[in-house]
Amino acid sequence: SLDLIISPSKENNYSSDYYNTFILRSILYSRIYGMVAFSPIIRSVIFPVERNSIYTFNKELSLSRNLLIDKMQKLSKNENIDPFVLLDQGSKRYPQAIKDGLNVANDLNNIKKNEGYYMPLALEIENELLDGKLDVSADGDVIFYPNKASSKKAGKLPIHMTASIVKTLSSLIFHLKYLSVQEELIILDEPEMNLHPDSQVLLARLLGKLLNSGLRLLISTHSDYIVRELNNMVMADSIVNEGKKIPEACDYDEETRISKEDIGVYYFSYLKKKKVEVRNVVVDNNGFDVPSIDDTIAKQNKAAEDLYYTLKYGSDE
């Protein structure tokens, strides 16, 4: 039971054996909890919007250095601090998702020795979206080799000199390359960040391939391009299921079609200033509708139409 995981008392009068047992039990029960809570999902990984800066500033944001500073500051005050409690506290400077990203960034030379389950799709994202290859230098720095460079040496770019799309997708690509496992859950916040519309459409298709390969995806998006492409993939699958033929101009093969049963859509809207409603959006053969996005596009189209006819034919007033 999780109730067995307790916090140490502030009296700090426990023996070292107690702390060793406490730490061991915490690790054990946390692992069991994770297996039960996310079953059949065996692991979850979060890629927040801050992923854009992880590899650019990971040296400055080093967890080990910040943790050392925190501990030195506490010990310098000559407080009666139990070292086991201090060790257990860790660093609360960053949210867990940022900590996880920094841990990966600071250990890339070791991590790149692994082969993730979804490495082939990571290489496809690299080639199709980045038009190049991500690598790690001997010093552990992320570098990028554009495909169009005249030579590998001439095209070697440090991460801070690359386009924003490279910075945005590098965390996801490294994870898929070296750390991914089958049927894990990836939580991706705003996948469209810093991507041109055509790249957003391509990314949606590649995410569809990941989904069809067994990966679980949870994404938040404001992008009409991603929403529309997901709808296209659902409609393509519905056409095939009805025994019809997909138009030749529409290139949706088995890997990029998505079954409507495999998508869940949740719409968040503000009812009041501090109250949010979460609605389960129906997904049918045509895909799904997002009211706020559809309304905004309709207003834009109406305004553009009115302005065009006024410019061309003059005002009726």
Side-chain angles (χ1 to χ4, degrees), residues 222 267-269 279 289-299:
H222 305 283
Y267 179 70
F268 289 69
S269 60
R279 298 206 308 268
D289 297 321
V290 181
S292 61
I293 292 179
D294 293 341
D295 291 346
T296 300
I297 292 174
K299 290 177 182 178

Side-chain angles (χ1 to χ4, degrees), residues 222-244:
H222 305 283
S223 170
D224 179 53
Y225 298 103
I226 287 182
V227 169
R228 292 175 69 179
E229 191 58 24
L230 291 174
N231 282 336
N232 286 347
M233 290 188 281
V234 170
M235 284 192 287
D237 187 72
S238 300
I239 288 172
V240 172
N241 288 338
E242 292 182 1
K244 300 175 183 177

Side-chain angles (χ1 to χ4, degrees), residues 300-315:
Q300 276 194 307
N301 290 340
K302 179 65 168 61
E305 187 176 288
D306 291 344
L307 291 169
Y308 172 79
Y309 283 104
T310 300
L311 181 64
K312 190 171 182 67
Y313 302 109
S315 175

Side-chain angles (χ1 to χ4, degrees), residues 60-74 83-103 106:
E60 288 78 4
L61 300 174
S62 171
L63 288 177
S64 57
R65 184 177 67 178
N66 287 325
L67 182 58
L68 179 61
I69 292 174
D70 288 345
K71 291 181 178 180
M72 289 177 65
Q73 288 175 341
K74 290 181 180 180
F84 289 101
V85 174
L86 191 61
L87 179 63
D88 186 57
Q89 285 177 348
S91 174
K92 297 181 175 62
R93 187 179 297 271
Y94 305 119
Q96 188 61 49
I98 304 299
K99 291 181 184 179
D100 292 342
L102 287 171
N103 281 329
N106 292 326

